[in-house]
Amino acid sequence: MPSWANSRARYGSVAQALHWSIAVLFLVCYVAVYYRHWFTLPETPANWIALQTHLVAGVAVAALVVARVFWFFRSIQPDDPPGTRFEHLASHAMHGVLYLVMIVMPISGYLGTGVAIEFPWLGDIPSFKDTALFKSFGVAWETFEKPIDFVHKNSGAYLVWVLILLHAGAALYHHYVKRDDVLRRMLPPRQT
C-alpha cells in the first residue's frame, strides 16, 4: 500500500493529515473565541480579528470534515484492535458522534453568525441572515438565531470538549494501559 492510503493495520498520510488538521483548527476556533470573550472589548479591532479567526477556522474545519467523510467512505479502515465487543461498539459510537459534531458545529456556527466571514485575499462569505434562503423563511433574525446559538455556543461548545477528552483519553488508554498500536497508527511511521 502507498503511504498515503489506509491499510488494515494503520491510517495513511491523507487520513492522518485530515485528522490532525481538523484537531488543530478546532483548537484555533476555541482559542480565538475564548480570547475574544476574555481578553477583548466589544467593537474593537482585536475583538473583530478574533471573531474572524474563529469564523475562518470554522469554515476550514467544515471543508476538511467534508474531505474526511469522503475519504472515510472511499478508503478501507484499519481493523479494530483486540478488545471486547463493548469496546468496539463504544469506539464506533464515539467516532460516529464525533463526526456528527464535526458537521453540526460548523453548520450551526455559520447559520447563527450575523456577520460576513472575511477570507483574506479570497473574498467574503455573506452572513446567513443576508441570504435569500434565510429571507425566504419569513422569521426575525433574533427568533431564528436563539435556538441555533443554543446548539453552537451552549450545548455544542461543551459537548465538543467532552468528546475530545474522551477521544484523547481513549487513545492514551490504548497506548499506555493496553499497550497496543491504536495511537501509533494515527501518527507517521517511525523511521528506523
Side-chain angles (χ1 to χ4, degrees), residues 127-174:
S127 164
F128 183 67
K129 76 175 184 178
D130 296 328
T131 65
L133 178 60
F134 173 72
K135 291 174 183 170
S136 73
F137 294 163
V139 63
W141 174 249
E142 292 75 21
T143 304
F144 176 81
E145 183 186 29
K146 190 172 184 176
I148 299 296
D149 275 355
F150 178 78
V151 169
H152 187 77
K153 294 178 181 176
N154 301 109
S155 57
Y158 299 109
L159 178 62
V160 169
W161 278 119
V162 170
L163 294 173
I164 289 171
L165 291 173
L166 288 171
H167 182 66
L172 294 172
Y173 170 76
H174 276 276

